[in-house]
Coordinates of all heavy atoms in Angstrom, one line a residue:
C1 N 2.1 6.3 -15.0 CA 2.3 4.9 -15.0 C 1.0 4.1 -15.0 O 0.9 3.1 -15.7 CB 3.2 4.4 -13.8 SG 2.5 4.8 -12.2
V2 N 0.0 4.5 -14.2 CA -1.3 3.8 -14.2 C -2.0 4.0 -15.5 O -2.8 3.1 -16.0 CB -2.2 4.2 -13.0 CG1 -1.5 3.9 -11.8 CG2 -2.6 5.6 -13.0
G3 N -1.8 5.2 -16.2 CA -2.4 5.4 -17.5 C -1.8 4.6 -18.6 O -2.6 4.0 -19.4
A4 N -0.5 4.4 -18.5 CA 0.1 3.5 -19.5 C -0.3 2.1 -19.4 O -0.6 1.4 -20.4 CB 1.6 3.6 -19.4
A5 N -0.4 1.6 -18.2 CA -0.9 0.3 -17.9 C -2.3 0.1 -18.4 O -2.7 -1.0 -19.0 CB -0.8 -0.1 -16.5
A6 N -3.1 1.1 -18.2 CA -4.5 1.0 -18.7 C -4.6 1.0 -20.2 O -5.5 0.4 -20.8 CB -5.3 2.2 -18.1
K7 N -3.7 1.8 -20.8 CA -3.7 1.8 -22.3 C -3.4 0.4 -22.9 O -4.0 0.0 -23.9 CB -2.7 2.8 -22.8 CG -2.6 3.0 -24.3 CD -3.8 3.6 -24.9 CE -3.6 4.2 -26.3 NZ -3.3 3.1 -27.3
V8 N -2.5 -0.3 -22.3 CA -2.3 -1.7 -22.7 C -3.6 -2.5 -22.7 O -3.9 -3.2 -23.7 CB -1.2 -2.4 -21.8 CG1 -1.1 -3.9 -22.1 CG2 0.1 -1.7 -21.9
L9 N -4.3 -2.4 -21.7 CA -5.6 -3.2 -21.6 C -6.6 -2.7 -22.6 O -7.3 -3.5 -23.2 CB -6.1 -3.1 -20.1 CG -5.3 -3.9 -19.1 CD1 -5.8 -3.7 -17.7 CD2 -5.2 -5.4 -19.4
Y10 N -6.7 -1.4 -22.7 CA -7.7 -0.8 -23.6 C -7.5 -1.3 -25.0 O -8.4 -1.7 -25.8 CB -7.7 0.7 -23.5 CG -9.0 1.3 -24.3 CD1 -10.1 1.6 -23.7 CD2 -8.9 1.5 -25.7 CE1 -11.2 2.1 -24.3 CE2 -10.0 2.0 -26.4 CZ -11.1 2.3 -25.7 OH -12.2 2.8 -26.4
D11 N -6.2 -1.3 -25.5 CA -5.9 -1.8 -26.8 C -6.2 -3.2 -27.0 O -6.3 -3.7 -28.2 CB -4.4 -1.5 -27.1 CG -4.1 0.0 -27.3 OD1 -5.1 0.7 -27.4 OD2 -2.9 0.4 -27.3
Q12 N -6.4 -4.0 -25.9 CA -6.8 -5.4 -26.0 C -8.3 -5.6 -25.7 O -8.7 -6.7 -25.5 CB -5.9 -6.2 -25.1 CG -4.4 -6.1 -25.4 CD -3.6 -7.1 -24.6 OE1 -4.1 -8.1 -24.2 NE2 -2.4 -6.7 -24.4
G13 N -9.1 -4.5 -25.7 CA -10.5 -4.6 -25.6 C -11.0 -4.6 -24.1 O -12.2 -4.8 -23.9
I14 N -10.1 -4.3 -23.2 CA -10.5 -4.2 -21.8 C -10.5 -2.7 -21.4 O -9.4 -2.1 -21.2 CB -9.5 -5.0 -20.9 CG1 -9.5 -6.5 -21.4 CG2 -9.9 -4.9 -19.4 CD1 -8.4 -7.3 -20.7
H15 N -11.6 -2.1 -21.3 CA -11.7 -0.7 -21.2 C -11.7 -0.1 -19.8 O -11.6 1.1 -19.5 CB -12.9 -0.1 -21.9 CG -14.2 -0.5 -21.3 ND1 -14.8 -1.7 -21.4 CD2 -15.1 0.3 -20.5 CE1 -15.9 -1.8 -20.8 NE2 -16.1 -0.6 -20.3
K16 N -11.8 -1.0 -18.8 CA -11.7 -0.6 -17.4 C -10.7 -1.4 -16.6 O -10.5 -2.6 -16.8 CB -13.1 -0.8 -16.7 CG -14.2 0.2 -17.2 CD -13.8 1.7 -16.9 CE -14.8 2.6 -17.5 NZ -14.5 4.0 -17.2
V17 N -10.1 -0.7 -15.6 CA -9.1 -1.3 -14.7 C -9.7 -1.2 -13.3 O -10.2 -0.1 -12.9 CB -7.7 -0.6 -14.7 CG1 -6.8 -1.3 -13.7 CG2 -7.2 -0.5 -16.1
E18 N -9.8 -2.3 -12.6 CA -10.4 -2.3 -11.3 C -9.5 -1.5 -10.3 O -8.3 -1.9 -10.2 CB -10.7 -3.7 -10.8 CG -11.3 -3.8 -9.4 CD -11.5 -5.2 -8.9 OE1 -11.2 -6.1 -9.7 OE2 -11.9 -5.3 -7.8
M19 N -10.0 -0.5 -9.6 CA -9.3 0.2 -8.6 C -10.2 0.4 -7.4 O -11.1 1.2 -7.4 CB -8.8 1.6 -9.1 CG -8.0 2.3 -8.1 SD -7.4 3.9 -8.7 CE -8.9 4.9 -8.6
E20 N -10.0 -0.5 -6.4 CA -10.9 -0.4 -5.2 C -10.7 0.9 -4.4 O -11.7 1.5 -3.9 CB -10.6 -1.6 -4.3 CG -11.0 -2.9 -4.9 CD -10.7 -4.1 -3.9 OE1 -10.1 -3.8 -2.8 OE2 -11.1 -5.2 -4.2
N21 N -9.5 1.3 -4.3 CA -9.2 2.6 -3.6 C -7.7 2.9 -4.0 O -7.1 2.3 -4.9 CB -9.3 2.4 -2.1 CG -8.6 1.2 -1.6 OD1 -7.4 1.0 -1.8 ND2 -9.3 0.3 -0.9
V22 N -7.1 3.9 -3.3 CA -5.7 4.2 -3.7 C -4.8 3.8 -2.5 O -3.7 4.4 -2.5 CB -5.6 5.7 -4.0 CG1 -6.3 6.0 -5.3 CG2 -6.1 6.6 -2.9
Y23 N -5.2 2.9 -1.7 CA -4.3 2.4 -0.7 C -3.5 1.3 -1.3 O -3.8 0.1 -1.2 CB -5.1 1.9 0.6 CG -6.0 3.0 1.1 CD1 -7.3 2.9 1.2 CD2 -5.4 4.3 1.6 CE1 -8.2 3.9 1.7 CE2 -6.2 5.2 2.1 CZ -7.6 5.0 2.1 OH -8.4 6.0 2.7
L24 N -2.5 1.7 -2.0 CA -1.7 0.8 -2.9 C -0.2 0.7 -2.6 O 0.5 0.0 -3.3 CB -1.9 1.3 -4.4 CG -3.3 1.3 -4.9 CD1 -3.4 2.2 -6.2 CD2 -3.8 -0.1 -5.3
G25 N 0.2 1.3 -1.5 CA 1.6 1.3 -1.1 C 1.9 0.3 -0.1 O 1.1 -0.5 0.3
P26 N 3.1 0.5 0.5 CA 3.5 -0.5 1.5 C 2.7 -0.5 2.8 O 2.1 0.5 3.2 CB 5.0 -0.1 1.8 CG 5.4 0.7 0.6 CD 4.2 1.4 0.1
E27 N 2.6 -1.7 3.4 CA 2.0 -1.9 4.7 C 3.0 -2.5 5.6 O 3.8 -3.4 5.2 CB 0.7 -2.7 4.5 CG 0.0 -2.9 5.8 CD -1.3 -3.7 5.6 OE1 -1.5 -4.4 4.5 OE2 -2.2 -3.6 6.4
Y28 N 2.9 -2.3 6.9 CA 3.9 -2.9 7.9 C 3.1 -3.6 8.9 O 2.1 -3.2 9.4 CB 4.7 -1.7 8.4 CG 5.5 -1.0 7.4 CD1 4.9 0.1 6.7 CD2 6.7 -1.4 7.0 CE1 5.5 0.8 5.7 CE2 7.4 -0.8 6.0 CZ 6.8 0.3 5.3 OH 7.5 1.0 4.3
S29 N 3.7 -4.8 9.3 CA 3.1 -5.7 10.3 C 3.3 -5.2 11.7 O 4.1 -4.2 12.0 CB 3.8 -7.0 10.2 OG 5.2 -6.9 10.6
S30 N 2.5 -5.7 12.6 CA 2.6 -5.3 14.0 C 4.0 -5.6 14.5 O 4.5 -4.8 15.3 CB 1.5 -6.1 14.8 OG 0.3 -5.6 14.6
E31 N 4.6 -6.6 14.1 CA 6.0 -6.9 14.5 C 6.9 -5.9 14.0 O 7.9 -5.5 14.8 CB 6.4 -8.3 14.0 CG 5.7 -9.5 14.6 CD 4.2 -9.7 14.1 OE1 3.9 -9.1 12.9 OE2 3.4 -10.3 14.7
E32 N 6.8 -5.4 12.8 CA 7.7 -4.4 12.3 C 7.5 -3.1 13.0 O 8.4 -2.4 13.3 CB 7.5 -4.2 10.8 CG 8.0 -5.4 9.9 CD 7.6 -5.2 8.5 OE1 6.4 -5.1 8.2 OE2 8.5 -5.3 7.6
I33 N 6.2 -2.8 13.3 CA 5.9 -1.5 14.0 C 6.5 -1.6 15.4 O 7.1 -0.6 15.9 CB 4.4 -1.3 14.0 CG1 3.9 -1.0 12.6 CG2 4.0 -0.1 14.9 CD1 2.4 -1.0 12.4
E34 N 6.2 -2.7 16.1 CA 6.7 -2.8 17.5 C 8.2 -2.7 17.6 O 8.8 -2.1 18.5 CB 6.2 -4.1 18.1 CG 6.5 -4.2 19.6 CD 5.8 -5.4 20.3 OE1 5.2 -6.2 19.5 OE2 5.8 -5.4 21.5
K35 N 8.9 -3.3 16.6 CA 10.4 -3.3 16.6 C 10.8 -1.8 16.5 O 11.8 -1.4 17.1 CB 10.9 -4.1 15.5 CG 12.4 -4.1 15.3 CD 12.9 -5.0 14.2 CE 14.4 -5.0 14.1 NZ 14.9 -5.8 12.9
A36 N 10.2 -1.0 15.6 CA 10.6 0.3 15.4 C 10.3 1.1 16.6 O 11.1 2.1 17.0 CB 9.8 0.9 14.2
L37 N 9.1 0.9 17.3 CA 8.9 1.6 18.5 C 9.8 1.3 19.6 O 10.3 2.2 20.3 CB 7.4 1.2 19.0 CG 6.2 1.8 18.1 CD1 5.0 1.0 18.5 CD2 6.1 3.2 18.3
K38 N 10.2 0.1 19.8 CA 11.2 -0.3 20.8 C 12.5 0.3 20.6 O 13.3 0.5 21.5 CB 11.3 -1.8 20.9 CG 10.0 -2.5 21.5 CD 10.2 -4.0 21.6 CE 9.0 -4.7 22.3 NZ 9.1 -6.1 22.3
S39 N 12.9 0.6 19.4 CA 14.2 1.1 19.1 C 14.3 2.6 19.3 O 15.4 3.2 19.2 CB 14.6 0.9 17.6 OG 13.7 1.6 16.7
T40 N 13.2 3.3 19.8 CA 13.2 4.7 20.0 C 13.2 4.9 21.5 O 12.2 4.5 22.2 CB 12.0 5.4 19.3 OG1 12.0 5.0 18.0 CG2 12.1 6.9 19.5
D41 N 14.2 5.6 22.1 CA 14.3 5.7 23.6 C 13.4 6.8 24.2 O 13.0 6.6 25.4 CB 15.7 6.1 23.9 CG 16.8 5.0 23.5 OD1 16.3 3.8 23.5 OD2 17.9 5.4 23.2
D42 N 12.9 7.7 23.4 CA 12.2 8.8 24.1 C 10.7 8.7 24.0 O 10.0 9.7 24.1 CB 12.7 10.2 23.5 CG 12.3 10.3 22.0 OD1 12.0 9.3 21.4 OD2 12.4 11.4 21.5
I43 N 10.2 7.5 23.7 CA 8.7 7.4 23.6 C 8.2 6.2 24.5 O 9.0 5.3 24.9 CB 8.2 7.1 22.2 CG1 8.8 5.8 21.7 CG2 8.6 8.3 21.3 CD1 8.1 5.4 20.4
V44 N 7.0 6.2 24.9 CA 6.3 5.1 25.5 C 5.1 4.7 24.7 O 4.6 5.5 24.0 CB 5.8 5.4 26.9 CG1 7.1 5.7 27.8 CG2 4.9 6.6 26.9
F45 N 4.8 3.4 24.8 CA 3.7 3.0 23.9 C 3.0 1.8 24.5 O 3.5 1.1 25.4 CB 4.2 2.6 22.5 CG 5.1 1.4 22.5 CD1 4.6 0.1 22.3 CD2 6.5 1.6 22.6 CE1 5.5 -1.0 22.3 CE2 7.4 0.5 22.6 CZ 6.8 -0.8 22.4
E46 N 1.8 1.6 24.1 CA 1.0 0.4 24.5 C 0.3 -0.1 23.3 O -0.1 0.6 22.3 CB 0.0 0.8 25.6 CG -1.0 1.8 25.2 CD -2.0 2.2 26.3 OE1 -2.3 1.3 27.1 OE2 -2.5 3.3 26.3

């Protein structure tokens, strides 16, 4: 998928795609994490 997207750009004279790193997937907020932690009975957290 990333190769196909790059080919679109190359064909238009843009030969590089900026990729800072591969941390490209979902991220979860502190509120979402805390909610998930509180819903589990057999753990403690801080």
Side-chain angles (χ1 to χ4, degrees):
C1 60
V2 299
K7 179 71 164 67
V8 172
L9 291 175
Y10 189 95
D11 288 347
Q12 299 188 28
I14 303 169
H15 67 285
K16 290 296 177 182
V17 182
E18 182 183 355
M19 183 179 74
E20 292 180 356
N21 51 54
V22 294
Y23 305 120
L24 297 162
E27 182 175 21
Y28 298 89
S29 67
S30 290
E31 292 75 19
E32 289 173 306
I33 292 170
E34 187 169 13
K35 181 180 179 181
L37 289 166
K38 286 180 175 178
S39 68
T40 308
D41 295 332
D42 63 345
I43 65 169
V44 293
F45 65 91
E46 60 179 334

